[in-house]
Amino acid sequence: MSDRLAVLPQYLLPKTLLTQWAGRFASAKLGDATHAVIRRFVARYGVDMSEAADPRIESYASFNDFFTRALREGARPLADADYVCPVDGAISQFGAIERDQIFQAKGHAYSTRALLAGDAALAAEFENGQFATIYLSPKDYHRIHMPCAGRLQRMVYVPGDLFSVNPTTARGVPGLFARNERVVCVFDTARGPFVLVLVGATIVGSMATVWHGVVNPPRPGEIKRWDYADKPVELAKGAEMGRFLLGSTVVLLWPKGTLKFNPDWAPGGAVRMGQAMGKALG
């Protein structure tokens, strides 16, 4: 079956309704019923609870509490690298931005301007730059961390579709990451700007940042912007910056000549938060 045919049902499903339902269920505190769902999830996806700060399933009052669980001390040591991987997951794609085009999958690319909600001036900063797209599967740790130290400049909520973001959908839905709901976070660093985009997906109940809390819901159906240029939101390399309540994807952008990726990286490869992602150029 072709990837486009495989994703056809997603065009027909009531994705927003399913996502709203999933969000309500994930936040509900249902006692033994919640714990039974968590146990089944752990068994189904092979979640390694020994890495959790609290490995006891019965200690989680809601599915969201479990899904955004903290890791035990030392579970993700930071590599001695200029840039570290911000999440656990699998590398979808990474490499050079061709003028303004980001490679999604064979036969598909999308523009930085589309990803960044039509902000042409911001997109221009990343022309011929570099990008990395990392997919978080259900079994992964779902907190997002800083690849390097940075100061937040602004945040943009962009409404959009709620397609799945798994590899099959990335191959089958054109412009997936620039058409799904997303939260765009723009940082300034000692080596220039970088952008970290949290991409929503079907049944991703919400996305949150450490400085704002839950960004969605609500889903207002329009772009919302927050300016932090004059507010001291500074985060160290490896610090938590946000989290997904149910899994998704992150897209990172850097200007031309900023970094050289880890030579061990390859599309489809598994990565863990804190591993070496790249070294600075210049």
Side-chain angles (χ1 to χ4, degrees), residues 47-66:
V47 178
D48 184 359
M49 292 301 293
S50 70
E51 294 186 327
D54 189 342
R56 299 168 303 149
I57 287 174
E58 61 274 14
S59 70
Y60 298 100
S62 70
F63 188 83
N64 275 342
D65 289 345
F66 154 73

Side-chain angles (χ1 to χ4, degrees), residues 138-152:
K139 70 178 178 61
D140 289 320
Y141 167 64
H142 277 80
R143 298 191 185 191
I144 307 158
H145 295 254
M146 293 289 287
C148 61
R151 177 173 181 147
L152 181 67

Side-chain angles (χ1 to χ4, degrees), residues 121-242:
L122 179 60
E125 295 188 54
F126 302 96
E127 185 168 331
N128 295 315
Q130 289 121 336
F131 79 98
T133 305
I134 307 173
Y135 166 66
L136 289 74
S137 74
K139 70 178 178 61
D140 289 320
Y141 167 64
H142 277 80
R143 298 191 185 191
I144 307 158
H145 295 254
M146 293 289 287
C148 61
R151 177 173 181 147
L152 181 67
Q153 297 298 303
R154 58 190 181 276
M155 180 175 75
V156 184
Y157 166 77
V158 189
D161 288 323
L162 290 168
F163 286 98
S164 171
V165 290
N166 61 36
T168 299
T169 311
R171 294 189 299 267
V173 176
L176 173 64
F177 304 121
R179 68 191 291 175
N180 264 18
E181 178 182 52
R182 54 204 181 277
V183 175
V184 178
C185 303
V186 183
F187 294 91
D188 190 28
T189 78
R191 301 183 179 96
F194 89 90
V195 166
L196 200 163
V197 182
L198 287 64
V199 182
T202 309
I203 74 167
V204 176
S206 64
M207 295 176 279
T209 63
V210 296
W211 57 83
H212 181 90
V214 173
V215 179
N216 65 310
R219 291 182 163 90
E222 60 184 11
I223 293 173
K224 294 189 68 176
R225 305 177 190 273
W226 294 265
D227 187 354
Y228 294 90
D230 296 325
K231 301 174 184 177
V233 180
E234 298 191 22
L235 298 171
K237 179 171 66 176
E240 181 184 344
M241 61 77 60

